[in-house]
Amino acid sequence: MSEPESSLSPSAQAEQVRADFAAEFGRLTETLAPGTGEAAEAQLRALVELRQRQTGKKSALAAVKKLIGRVAPEERAQFGQLVKEIEAEITRALSETETALTEQISAARIERERIDVTQPGRRPRQGHLHPLTLLRQKIEDIFVSLGYHIEDDREIETDYYNFDALNIPEGHPARASQDTFYTTDGFALRSQTSTIQIRAMERRGAPLRVIAPGRVFRRDTPDLTHTPMFHQLEGLCVERGITLEHLKGTMGEFVRRLFGPQTKTRFRPSYFPFTEPSGEFDYTCFKCDGTGFLNGDRCRPCKGSGWIELGGSGMVHPNVLRACGVDPEEFSGFAFGLGLERMCALLYTLDDIRHMFENDVRFLEQFN
Ligand code: DAH
């Protein structure tokens, strides 16, 4: 397809190219002003289109360049010079503007992405301790101040530590009430933290004072007051000349520090294979101060009795001391075990201990 012959002379055509470019470029640059990055990006797109139109293969400039070969030889040098000048002018104008726009765009991006390092940080949402942990820590603090070490030990145990060494031989009825979860090769999940009495004495020998909080497991069907996993806190004090009086004094001091100086204790005879004599400790109810009544109603935590059961205890059985290589002629001691869920449920008047293990934040958030 041949292009229509222009009636203008080649130089006039070249000048026309110059003028057309100047006009269009003028319209574009009129709108240029230090603006937002987005405006500069739009202008840059317009500039690219303009370059395509004004300098591309089908542009008037390209057509004029083709004329160079066709003008009379004596005019060619001068005409060629003119076209080159015009092309250089156009290219310079376009590239200067392009550089300016690109700089504007990148300055705007830097501004947009600037980080204010002086801005105060956002405080992360902070959780808090589980009610059982809070209670455990309170108890630990009390016993540490009475000279006790905190022991921690394994949850998977052998029969020997869970039963035999605690004076509960094979076939003893106490084993039945502490049925637990067994693995295939003679191990089981401990059913009581009393295992730590043995472990601690083996490790430390006598004299010693330790407490051991930890998880224990039993084959119980979950209900309001039972879960197959729960927490106990074991205590053991073995020294020369320890008597029942020391046990009573220690328990009394413990509940007074935990529930207040008015709290009293009572000791009821009971039976545990690893202590002799054995007893269960009660303390006067922290809600009704042992009266059994609260605002004329029967007090709930103590069910109107005025007393709340604290846990089991007793004087360490000589067989247990012997099993750990401690001479019962030289040393004597007392031991006790508390159930943490029960205490926690009473303290916070929870009607279902299963709440403690459901990890529902609506429940957990209430204990700060
Ligand atoms: N281990 C006992 C249980 O799980 C609790 C206990 C009773 C621990 C008397 C003791 C103790 O240390 O002296 O029922």
Side-chain angles (χ1 to χ4, degrees):
M1 196 175 77
S2 68
E3 286 165 38
E5 282 287 303
S6 170
S7 53
L8 294 173
S9 72
S11 322
Q13 284 184 53
E15 290 301 343
Q16 187 67 50
V17 166
R18 177 184 259 163
D20 285 351
F21 173 79
E24 200 182 348
F25 186 67
R27 280 196 296 280
L28 180 90
T29 48
E30 249 172 34
T31 66
L32 292 186
T36 63
E38 276 148 49
E41 276 168 29
Q43 284 164 345
L44 185 63
R45 280 194 297 274
L47 186 83
V48 170
E49 281 167 23
L50 185 141
R51 171 187 288 135
Q52 179 63 27
R53 243 188 340 271
Q54 294 283 351
T55 66
K57 270 191 205 152
K58 290 180 187 155
S59 63
L61 177 66
V64 160
K65 277 162 85 178
K66 277 186 209 146
L67 287 181
I68 297 173
R70 293 206 222 136
V71 295
E74 61 279 15
E75 288 174 21
R76 192 167 294 154
Q78 210 192 344
F79 179 66
Q81 189 61 34
L82 175 66
V83 174
K84 235 175 95 184
E85 237 172 62
I86 294 173
E87 184 176 29
E89 242 176 69
I90 293 179
T91 318
R92 188 171 0 98
L94 287 170
S95 78
E96 277 174 11
T97 311
E98 184 178 21
T99 310
L101 286 173
T102 318
E103 275 169 13
Q104 211 173 310
I105 290 167
S106 90
R109 179 177 314 130
I110 288 169
E111 183 57 31
R112 195 169 57 238
E113 293 174 1
R114 198 173 67 180
I115 296 170
D116 180 359
V117 293
T118 66
Q119 211 175 40
R122 245 176 254 144
R123 198 177 281 279
R125 212 177 104 96
Q126 210 176 14
H128 56 79
L129 297 175
H130 190 282
L132 278 174
T133 309
L134 293 170
L135 175 63
R136 191 197 77 215
Q137 290 183 342
K138 268 191 207 164
I139 300 177
E140 285 175 355
D141 283 351
I142 295 171
F143 280 103
V144 165
S145 79
L146 295 176
Y148 284 71
H149 287 277
I150 300 171
E151 286 280 332
D152 186 23
D153 221 300
R154 65 212 74 187
E155 290 171 0
I156 300 176
E157 270 295 6
T158 60
D159 257 14
Y160 177 76
Y161 286 96
N162 202 63
F163 295 123
D164 298 271
L166 286 162
N167 204 29
I168 313 174
E170 186 97 56
H172 193 289
R175 287 200 178 204
S177 63
Q178 296 211 359
D179 201 11
T180 176
F181 301 93
Y182 300 88
T183 65
T184 43
D185 42 8
F187 292 95
L189 299 182
R190 68 180 178 199
S191 62
Q192 50 185 348
T193 47
S194 303
T195 54
I196 296 170
Q197 292 190 26
I198 311 302
R199 296 255 175 218
M201 273 194 280
E202 282 182 354
R203 209 162 27 230
R204 295 173 180 271
L208 89 169
R209 283 182 209 179
V210 294
I211 55 161
R215 279 192 287 205
V216 298
F217 307 84
R218 294 198 192 166
R219 264 186 55 176
D220 281 332
T221 307
D223 63 21
L224 294 180
T225 53
H226 294 85
T227 48
M229 184 281 294
F230 58 100
H231 295 77
Q232 288 188 333
L233 187 133
E234 192 80 11
L236 175 69
C237 167
V238 177
E239 291 174 27
R240 289 180 187 85
I242 292 290
T243 69
L244 194 62
E245 233 4 68
H246 294 110
L247 170 60
K248 290 171 96 173
T250 304
M251 289 294 124
E253 183 63 17
F254 167 56
V255 295
R256 281 192 296 276
R257 294 218 202 160
L258 192 61
F259 299 114
Q262 74 293 343
T263 317
K264 293 185 180 58
T265 52
R266 82 179 174 189
F267 187 69
R268 281 181 290 114
S270 181
Y271 170 78
F272 298 102
F274 34 86
T275 45
E276 181 59 37
S278 305
E280 278 167 70
F281 264 100
D282 299 335
Y283 60 96
T284 45
C285 177
F286 54 86
K287 265 275 150 75
C288 64
D289 272 337
T291 61
F293 290 95
L294 201 62
N295 309 324
D297 282 334
R298 205 172 72 120
C299 175
R300 256 183 73 186
C302 64
K303 301 195 179 91
S305 73
W307 293 99
I308 294 179
E309 198 184 304
L310 179 63
S313 65
M315 300 307 291
V316 180
H317 197 289
N319 286 351
V320 174
L321 295 175
R322 261 183 231 113
C324 303
V326 174
D327 181 2
E329 297 298 321
E330 186 182 359
F331 290 100
S332 56
F334 63 80
F336 55 89
L338 320 170
L340 293 189
E341 278 75 7
R342 229 183 78 83
M343 278 181 102
C344 203
L346 289 166
L347 269 174
Y348 296 117
T349 36
L350 309 177
D351 48 9
D352 186 342
I353 69 162
R354 289 173 295 191
H355 288 317
M356 286 189 239
F357 306 118
E358 280 164 0
N359 288 339
D360 185 336
V361 283
R362 290 169 304 175
F363 169 77
L364 295 171
E365 264 168 4
Q366 301 171 57
F367 309 95
N368 265 315

